[in-house]
Amino acid sequence: MDRHALEERLWGFYRNVFVCVENVFEPLIASEGLTLPQFRILVEIRDCGAPSPGELCRASRMESRGFGAQCRRLERAGWIERTRGGEDGLGEEIRLSEKGKASLEKIWSAIRERHVAVLLGKSRKEIGEMEQGLDAVEKMFCGMEGLSGEE
């Protein structure tokens, strides 16, 4: 496949990924009253433990503009709890509330059901090929993320 054909295929792939995220994930996330960016924040909190707001913003790779407002909305809605951390009480830690944990588990459970339905009956070889493809796509996206957009 030449470069032009690969670029065209990549555009089709991006479009399909965006459409699938909207059609598959967003309804599951919205059923819990969350937006996709809010869901990303909750996932990062789960994965990071009890991060500070700065650590959480960096881990989620979201723009700092508006990030604090997102966290305040999540706190007001009861999905997260913010507390003073550390021995000196100066730092702030963000944790999932019970509501946040329950919402994440409900969403992940629904996603797992879809994974099982798609992967059921696939051979080990097919799953291995899928993993290799996902690794390659992830590497490509990570490489693109570091670019400034300048040619």
Side-chain angles (χ1 to χ4, degrees), residues 18-39:
F18 293 137
V19 169
C20 288
V21 165
E22 288 175 357
N23 292 339
V24 175
F25 292 100
E26 283 189 13
L28 299 174
I29 293 165
S31 73
E32 288 297 304
L34 294 164
T35 64
L36 191 55
Q38 290 171 331
F39 175 71

Side-chain angles (χ1 to χ4, degrees), residues 7-8 10 24 31-32 37-38 42 62-63 72 74 77 82 98-99 107 117 124 140 145:
E7 288 174 349
E8 290 298 316
L10 284 170
V24 175
S31 73
E32 288 297 304
Q38 290 171 331
L42 295 184
M62 297 173 79
E63 289 190 29
R72 284 189 293 280
L74 288 168
R82 300 192 312 175
E98 290 305 314
K99 176 182 177 179
I107 294 166
R124 287 182 188 258
M140 182 189 68
E145 186 177 35

